[in-house]
Amino acid sequence: MLRDSFGRVATDLRVSLTDKCNLRCTYCMPPEGLDWLPNAQLLTADEIVRLVTIGVEQLGVTEVRYTGGEPLLRRELPDIVGRTAALSPRPQVSLTTNGIGLARLAGTLVEAGLDRVNVSLDTLDRDTFKRLAHRDRFEDVIAGLSAAHDAGLRPVKVNTVLMRDVNDHEAVPLLRYCLEQGYELRFIEQMPLDAQHGWTREGMVTADEILALLSVSFDLTPDDLEERGSAPAERFLVDGGPARVGVIGSVTRPFCGACDRVRLTADGQIRNCLFATEESDLKTPLRDGASDEELAARWIAAVSRKRAGHGIDDPSFLQPSRPMSAIGG
Ligand code: SAM
Ligand code: SF4
């Protein structure tokens, strides 16, 4: 098992398939993009599946989420999903995506074994989308969302990051839209993980503020508090339910004490936390011929060193040198 020194057990593996992206969301990367990892440094599909297999079959991983960067940019994604879903015991297989290309791929991914999807959508306004993501792709995201729903993925979750004076006036319309479409919306507090280090505490729309914005138009009651477990979202029934909305207060209401996540970067590094400042290299030993047991031992050691919390509120907090897109959000 992947147990740390505080007794937390990592069962939720997030795998970044690429650091590249076809959007440039302001809270994530600069408009000009980043220096992408050279292809030779990216794990191949076979290498990814080998490490995921070790995680699932030897180390107790029960959920594998593919992310990035933009995971739909990896042509091998359906193959990787299919080989993941074929593992025993079968893990839950999920995807976090900006939705561009999902209109074409949703059915194929479901056939391959995809169980769940999260699509990021921060606005319902095409011009705001263009300003926020620096690309005119709003319609593709909307089409991707509806294709995911039509392909039978349930629930289709929507991730929204609110930014002050950019899209914070859209909290209510976004929730109304998701309720109408049958999607489950989760608001995520903006975290200091952008490549350009533009995050400020003042610019962050907090969980308290989000709840206040929503409460003007909706009656929210806390849902399944006991069942929250390791789930980062605090969930609320909307107008008595059954529809729900989630709020992820990563900064102001951290859930580190119950965290069950571990991350594998696109270039084969294990990170025991989004905010970790150190990584453990699995790619080099893997390419040097290490056995599954050796790789598992390195992975176990990496998780054992996980810190108690992210410490964003600590004066000594240091933003990780890798941005979210390279870590795997
Ligand atoms: N490209 C895919 C997408 O956008 O869904 C997957 C990768 S993206 C890094 C994963 C999630 O992280 C998205 O929902 C995005 O909104 C969120 N995200 C990115 N930067 C963030 C930040 N600084 N704070 C909070 N969430 C962030
Ligand atoms: Fe791309 Fe996702 Fe980052 Fe937006 S949040 S720039 S879609 S990786």
Side-chain angles (χ1 to χ4, degrees):
M1 279 211 294
L2 295 167
R3 187 187 293 277
D4 67 36
S5 62
F6 300 94
R8 294 167 297 187
V9 177
T11 52
D12 179 346
L13 172 62
R14 311 206 149 211
V15 182
S16 173
L17 294 181
T18 175
D19 60 328
K20 293 193 191 67
C21 193
N22 40 12
L23 295 182
R24 301 283 185 269
C25 307
T26 42
Y27 48 72
C28 186
M29 59 173 83
E32 64 276 16
L34 297 166
D35 290 332
W36 313 123
L37 290 165
N39 277 345
Q41 282 191 32
L42 293 184
L43 295 181
T44 63
D46 285 347
E47 289 171 336
I48 291 164
V49 173
R50 173 152 178 228
L51 292 177
V52 169
T53 304
I54 293 172
V56 170
E57 297 194 345
Q58 297 190 25
L59 298 173
V61 166
T62 55
E63 169 155 10
V64 181
R65 175 171 295 274
Y66 290 111
T67 175
E70 179 42 50
L72 291 178
L73 293 178
R74 275 296 285 252
R75 265 180 298 121
E76 315 97 316
L77 180 64
D79 171 55
I80 294 171
V81 165
R83 289 160 76 189
T84 308
L87 296 177
S88 176
R90 186 196 190 288
Q92 286 287 301
V93 189
S94 49
L95 179 71
T96 300
T97 171
N98 63 27
I100 298 172
L102 200 54
R104 189 171 51 82
L105 276 169
T108 310
L109 289 168
V110 168
E111 269 169 44
L114 185 70
D115 297 302
R116 286 201 291 260
V117 72
N118 288 46
V119 179
S120 304
L121 176 71
D122 299 321
T123 177
L124 294 170
D125 178 72
R126 188 174 164 185
D127 290 331
T128 307
F129 188 98
K130 242 166 46 184
R131 191 148 53 93
L132 205 156
H134 297 101
R135 297 287 185 274
D136 191 8
R137 307 298 296 270
F138 173 70
E139 309 292 343
D140 298 280
V141 178
I142 297 297
L145 269 165
S146 88
H149 198 258
D150 292 347
L153 291 166
R154 295 287 185 281
V156 170
K157 290 192 182 172
V158 173
N159 290 356
T160 298
V161 177
L162 291 181
M163 282 155 287
R164 201 172 299 293
D165 302 328
V166 178
N167 62 343
D168 51 345
H169 60 288
E170 291 198 64
V172 167
L174 277 162
L175 179 51
R176 206 158 265 143
Y177 170 77
C178 288
L179 295 173
E180 277 164 18
Q181 303 295 321
Y183 309 150
E184 190 173 318
L185 178 61
R186 301 132 39 96
F187 291 96
I188 308 174
E189 276 180 351
Q190 187 180 348
M191 295 178 277
L193 283 170
D194 56 311
Q196 57 283 38
H197 291 234
W199 181 90
T200 61
R201 192 166 291 274
E202 303 71 50
M204 172 181 61
V205 182
T206 64
D208 283 350
E209 289 177 85
I210 295 164
L211 291 171
L213 287 169
L214 296 177
S215 298
V216 172
S217 303
F218 300 99
D219 181 28
L220 301 182
T221 36
D223 182 38
D224 64 21
L225 277 181
E226 310 88 285
E227 284 173 39
R228 184 177 173 195
S230 60
E234 287 178 62
R235 291 174 15 144
F236 298 85
L237 293 174
V238 182
D239 294 337
R244 294 177 173 83
V245 63
V247 178
I248 305 184
S250 329
V251 178
T252 65
R253 303 180 180 191
F255 41 89
C256 306
C259 177
D260 63 355
R261 297 177 176 184
V262 60
R263 293 181 152 81
L264 175 64
T265 67
D267 59 347
Q269 312 294 307
I270 291 290
R271 293 181 70 98
N272 56 28
C273 173
L274 256 183
F275 294 93
T277 46
E278 62 163 45
E279 304 180 334
S280 303
D281 182 15
L282 292 191
K283 183 186 69 193
T284 306
L286 180 142
R287 291 189 175 172
D288 286 348
S291 66
D292 286 359
E293 288 64 35
E294 284 163 339
L295 294 169
R298 276 183 172 252
W299 196 335
I300 289 169
V303 171
S304 74
R305 292 192 291 270
K306 180 161 167 158
R307 289 184 304 165
H310 56 45
I312 296 174
D313 276 329
D314 193 304
S316 64
F317 173 75
L318 276 183
Q319 185 170 335
S321 51
R322 290 229 227 191
M324 178 82 133
S325 55
I327 296 169

